[in-house]
Structure formats: structure tokens, C-alpha cells
Amino acid sequence: MTTIGDGLLRGAYPGLGVGYPVDPDDIAGYTPITYASFRGGLNNTESPENIQADQASSASFMDITRDGALTPVSGFNESQDVTPRDLSYIFSHPSVDGTEEVLAFDAPWIIYGAPGALVSADVGLAAAGTAGWTGTSVAGTFIFSNTTTATYTRAAAAATVTDISTQITAARSFALQFGRTFAGGVTPAGGTYQAMGISWNASNGAVGNWLGTGSGSELLIGQMVGADFIVALAPIGFDILAILCRRSIWFGYPTGVAHRPADFRVRSPARGCVHRNTVCVTPFGVVFLSDEGVMLLDVNGIQCISQDVNGVILPITDVGV
């Protein structure tokens, strides 16, 4: 039996649909196109024949500026080789004088300074725990913990650190809100790790004072859908402290009470954050990765902002994060 298609291919048009080897030398080379301006940016909503002279229908190795213009990707240049130090845990240490430093931890060393001018100092840091290092800057003093056995503070530009483990042994996350410093997933001084425990420093605001007047701790107790633990703390504006747990989200609201500066309530009992390193505080709210995709958390609720890429990033596993 011969179909119409077979007849076309074997009859009037024997070459139709048949591939032939081609000599690369017979193919014309690329013809460069010079653009006088990229100010029109990227326009992939119209036919390439209909776009303006300063627009492009596609682009490779290009960035788009805030005003929509195209600019070449800047790439990377080596600033400084700090071998043999490990820069797996890098933070920004801003100060109240308008400056900031790079600050990294590679026990027993700290690495600090301006980009391209980093120096190392052996300050006797304890080894990082399984959750690595965490920390935040409070009025120019950086408080940080190896998340299991030790907590330290460092003043801006200092080559030394202060061990405050007798005040607070460790924490999984720190945040500044309501004029107080909060620690989540805390191991209190002389105590044991509290997966849903949150502590705050003394009412005098001293970042190294966690046992003085006004300091305290609390367990976040609610209806749990599974094993839960605090992953990260993050401020939302000036009025909410978000506590992102693995399978729930809590909000802390200001109380104005010195010995209990926040009132903690469940915001989402069945959705959580997969890892501290996915949390980012933005002007629009807190962005984090959950089991359902990338989420934006603000005072009004939680919305998924990764629908277009969920097929690539999901499913999430604790091992794969």
C-alpha cells in the first residue's frame, strides 16, 4: 500500500524530507549586526520584523537594566585569592558609620575587610555545626553562632571576637526587631537545643546580654502537622517578626512589654521554609523557598511567585536543599 505522502516523496519530489550531508565550508559565516543603541531593550512580544531599531527580539549573555535597556553581562574578575581559607560562610557586617565589611568564618579563623583587601585572624572559633554559621548585625556589632555550641560578637573592624556562650549557647537564626535581638532555634546557656524555642536579649538592648533584666525565652507551641523546627527569623517592616519554621510560619507582634517584647501567633500551620539560605528580606516582603515553590510572605499573606519554574525546582527534599 502506498500513501499519498509516499507517492510525493518517491515521485514528483523525491528529495522532499530527505537529509543530505553538507560541507561546513559551503555554509556562509555569521554576519554581525551593529546596533547603534540598546535603549529599546528586549522586545519578544512582537515579530522581529516589526520591532524598533534599538530593540532586540532575543539576547544572549546580556542583562536588562532597571529601565529595560540591554547591557552586556559584566562577568567575574578575581579580586583576591585567600587560599587556604574556606569562604563557604560569608556575611556583610555593616556599621553605623555608613561602612560595611565582608565577614567570613572558617574555624578557627575569621576573614574580614573590604573586597580585595581581606585579612585573616585566628580567633579560636569553634567548628561549625551541621547547620553552619548564622548571624546578623545589631547597631554595628555582629552576633553570630555556629548553631550548636558557641555564640560570639564582633565589633566593626575588629580583629578579635567575644565569646558570649555563657549568655546564649547557640541559635539557628538571629534577627533584630522592636529594638531587641531575637534568637530562633535556640540553645539557652546551660540548656539544650530547643527546636521551636525563641529567645530575646535584655531590655537594655545590649547584644551580648541574654540573661539580664527583660531577657526571656518562649516555646512556639501549636497544632503540629509533623516534626517542626525554626529555620530562620526575618523582619517584615517595623511591625512583624516572621518566624519561618520547616512546616509552619509564625508572626511575632510587638507588645511594648519589656520582659516579653513580642506576642507569637501561628500564621500558616502547614507551610514552611526548607532552608535558612533561601530566605531573603526584600522591600516587598520575605522571599523563601517552600515545598510548593518560591514564596513571598508579607503582612497580607503568602503567595507563590515561582509558577513558571516550579517544574524545574520541584519537588524539594531535605537532602537536596
Side-chain angles (χ1 to χ4, degrees), residues 14-276:
L16 183 64
V18 179
Y20 294 93
V22 177
D23 188 340
D25 294 335
D26 295 336
I27 301 176
Y30 288 104
T31 301
I33 300 175
T34 302
Y35 283 86
S37 170
F38 279 130
R39 300 302 297 178
L42 187 65
N43 184 348
N44 53 17
T45 62
E46 299 182 66
S47 170
E49 292 80 11
N50 297 329
I51 65 176
Q52 300 299 315
D54 63 351
Q55 294 178 329
S57 59
S58 62
S60 298
F61 303 108
M62 304 291 286
D63 280 336
I64 301 178
T65 64
R66 288 183 178 272
D67 57 3
L70 294 176
T71 182
V73 173
S74 58
F76 296 93
N77 294 312
E78 182 176 299
S79 174
Q80 181 183 354
D81 186 347
V82 296
T83 306
R85 300 280 71 82
D86 181 1
L87 300 183
S88 297
Y89 301 100
I90 304 178
F91 299 84
S92 171
H93 185 174
S95 182
V96 292
D97 62 1
T99 62
E100 64 179 326
E101 301 172 274
V102 173
L103 179 61
F105 308 120
D106 178 23
W109 302 80
I110 62 169
I111 303 94
Y112 64 96
L118 299 178
V119 296
S120 301
D122 184 346
V123 296
L125 293 184
T130 55
W133 291 91
T134 186
T136 193
S137 182
V138 179
T141 298
F142 200 85
I143 181 171
F144 59 101
S145 173
N146 70 350
T147 67
T148 53
T149 61
T151 301
Y152 307 89
T153 60
R154 174 187 180 261
T160 60
V161 301
T162 301
D163 188 336
I164 62 168
S165 302
T166 57
Q167 292 281 322
I168 176 173
T169 299
R172 293 296 181 96
S173 183
F174 293 98
L176 176 65
Q177 189 66 302
F178 320 137
R180 305 288 281 276
T181 305
F182 291 85
V186 67
T187 302
T192 57
Y193 167 59
Q194 302 297 316
M196 295 295 286
I198 188 165
S199 298
W200 50 90
N201 65 338
S203 55
N204 64 4
V207 70
N209 186 354
W210 292 79
L211 298 177
T213 303
S215 63
S217 300
E218 190 168 319
L219 282 177
L220 306 183
I221 299 176
Q223 182 66 41
M224 301 174 73
V225 297
D228 208 0
F229 56 89
I230 293 176
V231 174
L233 308 181
I236 299 179
F238 297 104
D239 299 320
I240 292 176
L241 176 65
I243 301 97
L244 306 175
C245 304
R246 183 62 185 88
R247 292 179 175 82
S248 64
I249 296 174
W250 294 63
F251 274 4
Y253 300 91
T255 63
V257 178
H259 65 273
R260 190 174 184 264
D263 178 39
F264 303 102
R265 306 175 194 173
V266 177
R267 182 65 181 82
S268 174
R271 178 177 290 157
C273 174
V274 300
H275 197 279
R276 182 180 67 243

